[in-house]
Amino acid sequence: MTDRSPLPPGSTIGIFGGGQLGRMLAISALQLGYRCIGYAPAGDNVAAEASADFIEKHWGDGEALSTFAARCDVVTWEFENVPVTAVEAIPAERLACGPRALEIAQDRLAEKRFVEELGGLATPHMRVESDEDFAAAIERIGTPGILKTAREGYDGKGQWRVDDGHAARGVRFPGQRCIYEGLVDFEAEFSVILARGSDGEVRFWDSAANTHEGGMLVQSVLPAGARIEAQVEEARALASRVADALSYVGVLTLEFFATKDGPVFNEMAPRVHNSGHWTIEGAATSQFENHVRAICGLPLGATATRFATIDMRNIVGKQASRAHAILAEEGEPHLHLYGKREAREGRKMGHVTRVGARLP
Ligand code: AMP
């Protein structure tokens, strides 16, 4: 899509996926006078509560996809594993941007290759499609490392840590295409989150320092500290090249390891991102609002950070049942609960953002 004329208030945004990202996107869309229709297979689609309508059909239901497309003025996604075929069922002029970004981000090998071709440094890695490939990867890259399924892994799922040769013998190739990555000795983790408008304008939010546990983000903190800040410029330049190469429209996230050799690319998400939830209260314009603005052809909002310190933590699993107690804490914490019915262990149920002094 190129330079879109602004969608008037009352227009309808279609969102593929029904999770918390879609819910927060729909809340921002409502505020700007738009309405949302979601589309995802039946499940705990918490975006439905914030949407004018929600279509619960399979990704491959051609008739339902046509109905969805016909009812929407623009279509986007909140989930990067939406099958590309579902996106391709939407007429190109209704798509906020083409499915190439999704196609690349759905495959860990493809995204690393894409970023390397644009001059980025990716984690050391090898394709693994058999036990022999796995042995060869251990031989070449060494241990410690991580075997990851090339597709469909998230929040540490589909990943097996390999500490040494002995541990490697205990890990079986899972029978689907994988990637073996050397464990990067990083100093810190951060993400670059940008919004790109349909006219090609790019704006970045400040990068937070991210902490993961068991492969899942638990906390994002600003300021990110000197080690990260020294590497943000180089990481942003790469993220810009990625966004331009994809003619991307909306919010795009690239995750990096800050290492002594500079920023090492880990993965990308062509969507709003958990490490950007702090922007709801912490930035002049949130990632959700700027995604809506970008896909609807509105001017992007300022991304400046508004507070001297910001701390975003995820609320996971059963922590959610006690989350309202947070509201009694000092410092006016900002609580967001996603309305998920089942508090499964390790499931993201909400987040809380605590902010410090307001910046002038
Ligand atoms: P991913 O699913 O690839 O984003 O991995 C989730 C988290 O696991 C990362 O944010 C890191 O904390 C850790 N991790 C994944 N791959 C690597 C790696 N190659 N080296 C070091 N840590 C990693």
Side-chain angles (χ1 to χ4, degrees):
M1 193 193 77
T2 48
D3 212 354
R4 175 185 282 280
S5 50
L7 283 182
S11 300
T12 301
I13 300 171
I15 303 178
F16 277 121
Q20 65 267 21
L21 302 179
R23 179 179 170 106
M24 290 184 273
L25 274 175
I27 291 170
S28 281
L30 278 173
Q31 202 175 333
L32 292 177
Y34 297 121
R35 56 202 290 282
C36 293
I37 301 182
Y39 188 109
D44 199 358
N45 288 312
V46 294
E49 289 166 358
S51 307
D53 199 0
F54 200 95
I55 301 173
E56 286 198 331
K57 293 283 183 192
H58 291 294
W59 297 122
D61 187 329
E63 210 177 302
L65 287 165
S66 305
T67 309
F68 174 61
R71 293 176 64 194
C72 298
D73 297 293
V74 64
V75 174
T76 186
W77 52 76
E78 60 101 50
F79 170 58
E80 80 253 28
N81 286 322
V82 179
V84 169
T85 48
V87 178
E88 284 170 345
I90 308 298
E93 68 279 6
R94 301 251 168 95
L95 286 176
C97 90
R100 183 145 159 71
L102 269 187
E103 208 169 354
I104 292 170
Q106 284 175 359
D107 189 310
R108 292 182 184 276
L109 285 154
E111 67 186 354
K112 287 195 162 65
R113 190 179 326 120
F114 188 72
V115 160
E116 284 176 337
E117 280 168 5
L118 290 171
L121 179 65
T123 54
H125 63 276
M126 262 178 81
R127 172 193 298 255
V128 172
E129 291 183 284
S130 63
D131 286 328
E132 293 71 40
D133 286 353
F134 184 35
I138 301 264
E139 175 78 25
R140 204 173 100 198
I141 294 175
T143 55
I146 309 181
L147 183 70
K148 304 178 179 178
T149 54
R151 301 179 73 89
E152 306 247 313
Y154 69 100
D155 288 348
K157 296 176 181 69
Q159 300 193 6
W160 299 269
R161 173 104 183 219
V162 183
D163 285 317
D164 50 32
H166 177 72
R169 285 189 287 279
V171 175
R172 302 305 302 162
F173 166 63
Q176 54 177 305
R177 204 157 58 89
C178 284
I179 180 172
Y180 179 72
E181 290 181 23
L183 201 72
V184 174
D185 183 17
F186 58 77
E187 298 174 328
E189 291 190 72
F190 68 101
S191 39
V192 168
I193 309 180
L194 64 80
R196 186 174 185 278
S198 60
D199 58 357
E201 184 195 358
V202 170
R203 293 194 181 185
F204 297 97
W205 283 270
D206 282 337
S207 287
N210 299 332
T211 307
H212 292 79
E213 280 172 16
M216 191 172 101
L217 183 77
V218 291
Q219 187 183 24
S220 294
V221 170
L222 285 127
R227 286 176 310 185
I228 289 174
E229 280 158 12
Q231 307 203 355
V232 165
E233 197 179 311
E234 189 180 336
R236 281 185 178 182
L238 176 64
S240 253
R241 294 200 294 279
V242 169
D244 289 343
L246 294 168
S247 302
Y248 191 79
V249 176
V251 169
L252 173 74
T253 307
L254 269 73
E255 291 184 66
F256 292 93
F257 300 121
T259 75
K260 52 184 182 338
D261 303 320
V264 172
F265 167 78
N266 179 32
E267 64 174 354
M268 71 184 219
R271 54 166 170 77
V272 287
H273 196 260
N274 192 172
S275 63
H277 289 358
W278 66 269
T279 63
I280 298 175
E281 293 87 11
T285 311
S286 78
Q287 60 167 348
F288 300 101
E289 179 170 337
N290 260 348
H291 186 79
V292 172
R293 290 188 187 211
I295 66 170
C296 293
L298 300 178
L300 297 178
T303 48
T305 302
R306 298 197 300 174
F307 299 94
T309 58
I310 298 174
D311 177 333
M312 187 291 306
R313 282 167 208 251
N314 280 333
I315 294 167
V316 178
K318 298 218 179 325
Q319 291 173 351
S321 61
R322 301 184 302 275
H324 282 158
I326 292 170
L327 298 174
E329 288 176 14
E330 274 182 36
E332 303 300 331
H334 300 282
L335 178 66
H336 298 256
L337 292 175
Y338 307 146
K340 294 184 183 176
R341 288 190 286 270
E342 223 192 301
R344 282 195 303 273
E345 199 191 322
R347 191 163 195 224
K348 292 172 181 169
M349 303 296 289
H351 72 267
V352 55
T353 302
R354 297 177 174 89
V355 300
R358 202 177 172 104
L359 292 171

